[in-house]
Amino acid sequence: MRLPFRSLLVSLFLIPVAIGPAEAGRYIGPSAPTSVAVQGVVSDTTGGVVAGATVNAVVAGRSVSRATTGADGAFRVEVPAGVPVELRVRRTGFADQVVAITGDAAPRPQNITLQVGGVSDTLVVTASRAAESRTRVTESVTAFTRADLDALGASSLADIVRFVPGVNVEASGREGAVTSMFSRGGESDYNLVLIDGVRVNQSGGVFDFSRINAAEIERLEVVRGAQSSLWGSDAMGSVVQIFTRRAGAANRPQVSGSTEGGSFGTFRGDARLMGGASGRVDYSAGVSRRQSDGAFADLLPEDDTFKQTAFDAGGGATLGNRVAVRGGVRSTTADGTSVGAIAYGARNTGSAYDTSDRSGHVDLSHSFGSRLSGTASFNYFRYKSVSADTIADAPYFTYAVLEGTPNAIFPNGTRLVRLVDAVEFDALVAAGATPGAGQFLASRRSSNFPFTSKSEFERPAFRYQADYDWSGQRFSAGYEWEREFNPLSDNVRLDNQSLFVQQLFSARDRWFATVGGRLDRKESADTFFSPKLSAGGYLVPFTSGAVSSLKVFGNLGQGIKSPSLSERFGGSFTDPAPDLKVEQARTGDIGVEATFANQRYRALVTYFNNDYTDQIAYRGGVAGDGIPEYINIDGSKADGWEMEWALQRPWAGLTASASYTYVDHRVVTNVSTSQQFQPGQPLLRRPKNSGNIRASWVSGRVSVNASARLVGDRHDNSFLSLRTVPNAARPMPITTDITVNPGYTVMSLGLDVRAHALITLYVRGENVANESYESVLGYPAMPRSFVAGVRVNTGGRR
């Protein structure tokens, strides 16, 4: 391990001690004060005072003092003397605000101005690895709070990210089935996923979005565009960061939980205990469970069950005025089946898709003097999976009526008209194999064979980041080390070391810019540099009037994705590829965000352009030694528009938001000759047109939540290798696949009733219009379903 852990740990513990409060604050006098007061007034953009705002003073990542503004908007918090402090301010109806102040040895005034809050306008940390108000962030960020998750009725992470503009999520069937996310036309392994700062992607960026229970999530952030300048490999198209639930050190012990049940034997439940002690310690522990019997019992020969259990626990403590420690562990186990493409006749028995993962972290935060702070993080992630089919089922036949042109560019490719049985198929063949104008017949005999595939993956990591505040600007620098290895294979291991820097600029709290870069060095591989530039600001600052703000922003970034261990080291059926390069992305966007009518309405338009190079492709055939291998190719491109609109200040209890995304994505080149990868062909399972609508109406104790997702036609592949039946128009048989997947619209509806201060009753309906569609060709999505449940929280509404 090429890491001087001992030297780093010694410096982390000794430097805070060596630089004491008196020296840091430059206090001259008989005795140095141990704490000072920060006081001021919280107001809105019109100058009116804001009562009932919570002002939380944070030192070394931990809350040390809290106050609530009175009728005059005034607050006062006590903070350690000479120590850098963050004031995090929150008030319902306003955007969260964060103000960084340098350490001082004397009381100081600090007035704070809040902007009117928007939809999910909370503090975000993923864009810069530090808490920032969304009003200051110039990246494309979408955030969800726990209240958003409850309103959506989400059961998994996939149910949440579906509502992010520019993102498409598709699954191979029901709850618990493999689910992939595509951001702005990128591949499904171009999304870095973090849970409490721990990277939880498998080797090569693979991640299944179905297997994170929504009950574990307190807050979620999605930053679109390449973010490798801070986060390294896999951050090609987005960074998805999950924050599990935690309490503050000043919170009383509280218990919360929920239970619900409904259609298809669905059950979901969770329970959690969390709180604080002595104003210096907090703790949290929770368990969650979800299960379903599947929606297609009438079609399948055996139960299509899915079960998942998750546990997480964490805590933090303040060690003096300058050091804080936080740790957490998480464990989840999920068991499901792989039923196959049941829309085409698959009836698999004896199949399994079982996964488990473990993760943990320990973070040590500290401050040096009055301007410098840092965090050292030790992370660990382990993943295991078993995919199996223990029974060789009887072969099955797929008989289809098709139309379109095989091997043509979407949307002119092959489209399914309808499936037929053997009797009708034979009759149509005898009648000339022309079911209708422009239509033709095709069939396929499919078989499955018993197999068992096990995989394991581990990743320990260490990261240190230091932040220095100068004249209201923040400079960050850090080091990261990680090791990836397969415990089932000797010598399948890679180490990576990296250095990164970032400078955040702010001018008059109106103009903002971020400049940064990261240098990664893979063992026995190239060195990669990933730069980033982000800038923006307010042409019209927040004010009252018809146009109450006008913000412009733009981003340029470089993304990288390292090859997976199997791609680099080879396997039973592929050669090693030690010279394989990392995949790269050059991404950029530019946008305009405006609010209207005294910030009641918000509109946002963003144009993005992505260029993916050195993409990794599988090459079979007789090249080289005749054994298949992985090579780099030019790849693909994507560009498009994201449009968002929101009624962000309630009108008669109503709030609403909507988004529309257009993505033009296409293959540039490929080594494959198959129809789905021809140059100019759109990328698989990514619609050009998509959108969503969310609305919430609140009246007293009752709230009604409605949502709709609209997904357009998309290029897909049935992977059936159908053989056509010759007819007069097509006298020669050819092999083709269904490649056009029709669009769909899914609507959901929910009702919440707060029956008691501690109890909320609710009912949810998913796909209430009973839309019949295939998220992935051959895999029918869930039909209409309903659940009813209760949430309990002794600490108030969560």
Side-chain angles (χ1 to χ4, degrees), residues 387-620:
S387 294
D389 194 343
T390 59
I391 299 175
D393 297 298
Y396 65 92
F397 290 84
T398 304
Y399 303 103
V401 177
L402 307 176
E403 63 182 5
T405 304
N407 303 312
I409 299 297
F410 177 88
N412 300 317
T414 310
R415 182 188 299 262
L416 176 67
V417 178
R418 70 180 190 277
L419 297 174
V420 297
D421 59 22
V423 174
E424 183 178 359
F425 182 81
D426 291 340
L428 290 171
V429 171
T434 307
Q439 298 176 354
F440 54 99
L441 297 174
S443 64
R444 162 73 179 185
R445 181 182 186 271
S446 301
S447 302
N448 73 331
F449 303 94
F451 75 92
T452 298
S453 176
K454 297 181 179 180
S455 69
E456 292 191 25
F457 175 72
E458 290 190 51
R459 182 191 294 114
F462 168 80
R463 181 185 180 107
Y464 180 78
Q465 177 175 324
D467 300 304
Y468 181 76
D469 180 79
W470 58 278
S471 301
Q473 320 301 316
R474 186 173 72 239
F475 175 76
S476 302
Y479 166 83
E480 186 168 7
W481 168 90
E482 67 177 15
R483 170 172 291 168
E484 298 184 333
F485 63 96
N486 178 0
L488 300 178
S489 300
D490 294 336
N491 301 318
V492 177
R493 186 187 74 183
L494 279 177
D495 287 359
N496 182 64
Q497 300 191 67
S498 63
L499 298 171
F500 58 91
V501 295
Q502 178 179 260
Q503 176 64 60
L504 272 67
F505 295 98
S506 174
R508 296 186 298 169
D509 205 30
R510 179 173 172 181
W511 303 102
F512 314 100
T514 302
V515 181
R518 174 174 167 133
L519 193 68
D520 282 87
R521 172 65 179 176
K522 279 282 186 184
E523 181 180 317
S524 304
D526 294 335
T527 298
F528 331 110
F529 179 68
S530 305
K532 173 186 176 180
L533 171 63
S534 178
Y538 290 89
L539 298 176
V540 177
F542 286 98
T543 184
S544 58
V547 179
S548 44
S549 71
L550 182 62
K551 178 182 178 182
V552 295
F553 62 90
N555 297 275
L556 290 173
Q558 182 80 13
I560 62 170
K561 187 186 79 68
S562 297
S564 68
L565 294 178
S566 61
E567 290 169 341
R568 186 177 293 280
F569 289 96
S572 302
F573 304 102
T574 57
D575 268 342
D579 297 326
L580 202 60
K581 300 178 182 178
V582 300
E583 298 189 41
Q584 300 187 56
R586 189 273 305 148
T587 72
D589 62 44
I590 185 170
V592 179
E593 182 179 37
T595 62
F596 306 93
N598 196 26
Q599 302 172 56
R600 181 175 295 277
Y601 306 100
R602 179 174 65 90
L604 173 63
V605 177
T606 306
Y607 170 77
F608 60 86
N609 186 289
N610 302 333
D611 188 6
Y612 305 108
T613 57
D614 287 329
Q615 289 185 289
I616 297 172
Y618 175 83
R619 180 171 67 182

Side-chain angles (χ1 to χ4, degrees), residues 658-681:
S659 73
Y660 165 75
T661 302
Y662 172 80
V663 189
D664 182 15
H665 44 82
R666 55 214 173 270
V667 175
V668 174
T669 185
N670 207 302
V671 294
S672 172
T673 59
S674 60
Q675 58 187 357
Q676 71 265 26
F677 293 126
Q678 294 305 301
Q681 190 76 274

Side-chain angles (χ1 to χ4, degrees), residues 227-249:
Q227 304 294 326
S228 291
S229 65
L230 265 185
W231 298 103
S233 183
D234 305 340
M236 293 265 284
S238 74
V239 175
V240 179
Q241 180 150 210
I242 298 162
F243 300 89
T244 57
R245 305 185 65 198
R246 66 173 62 170

Side-chain angles (χ1 to χ4, degrees), residues 262-497:
S263 305
F264 313 122
T266 296
F267 167 79
R268 303 179 189 119
D270 67 278
R272 180 170 299 276
L273 169 67
M274 60 184 183
S278 303
R280 287 183 172 272
V281 176
D282 69 83
Y283 55 87
S284 173
V287 62
S288 60
R289 171 78 171 182
R290 60 179 174 136
Q291 63 186 55
S292 171
D293 293 338
F296 306 104
D298 56 331
L299 297 176
L300 300 174
E302 65 180 18
D303 292 339
D304 176 24
T305 58
F306 172 72
K307 300 177 181 179
Q308 182 188 42
T309 302
F311 169 80
D312 67 272
T318 300
L319 310 177
N321 290 334
R322 291 183 173 272
V323 180
V325 64
R326 171 165 295 280
V329 295
R330 177 182 174 274
S331 173
T332 181
T333 301
D335 300 326
T337 59
S338 299
V339 296
I342 62 175
Y344 299 147
R347 299 293 184 266
N348 286 358
T349 57
S351 66
Y353 170 40
D354 302 335
T355 61
S356 67
D357 61 82
R358 310 286 186 268
S359 62
H361 67 96
V362 176
D363 305 324
L364 179 69
S365 301
H366 57 86
S367 62
F368 299 150
S370 62
R371 297 179 181 273
L372 184 63
S373 60
T375 300
S377 301
F378 300 85
N379 299 329
Y380 175 78
F381 172 68
R382 177 164 184 156
Y383 175 87
K384 295 182 179 181
S385 70
V386 176
S387 294
D389 194 343
T390 59
I391 299 175
D393 297 298
Y396 65 92
F397 290 84
T398 304
Y399 303 103
V401 177
L402 307 176
E403 63 182 5
T405 304
N407 303 312
I409 299 297
F410 177 88
N412 300 317
T414 310
R415 182 188 299 262
L416 176 67
V417 178
R418 70 180 190 277
L419 297 174
V420 297
D421 59 22
V423 174
E424 183 178 359
F425 182 81
D426 291 340
L428 290 171
V429 171
T434 307
Q439 298 176 354
F440 54 99
L441 297 174
S443 64
R444 162 73 179 185
R445 181 182 186 271
S446 301
S447 302
N448 73 331
F449 303 94
F451 75 92
T452 298
S453 176
K454 297 181 179 180
S455 69
E456 292 191 25
F457 175 72
E458 290 190 51
R459 182 191 294 114
F462 168 80
R463 181 185 180 107
Y464 180 78
Q465 177 175 324
D467 300 304
Y468 181 76
D469 180 79
W470 58 278
S471 301
Q473 320 301 316
R474 186 173 72 239
F475 175 76
S476 302
Y479 166 83
E480 186 168 7
W481 168 90
E482 67 177 15
R483 170 172 291 168
E484 298 184 333
F485 63 96
N486 178 0
L488 300 178
S489 300
D490 294 336
N491 301 318
V492 177
R493 186 187 74 183
L494 279 177
D495 287 359
N496 182 64
Q497 300 191 67

Side-chain angles (χ1 to χ4, degrees), residues 129-157:
R129 287 190 64 90
E132 293 182 280
S133 169
R134 188 193 171 282
T135 58
R136 300 167 58 97
V137 173
T138 53
E139 286 89 350
S140 296
V141 181
T142 301
F144 296 88
T145 64
R146 183 68 235 178
D148 294 322
L149 274 59
D150 289 340
L152 288 172
S155 66
S156 71
L157 173 62

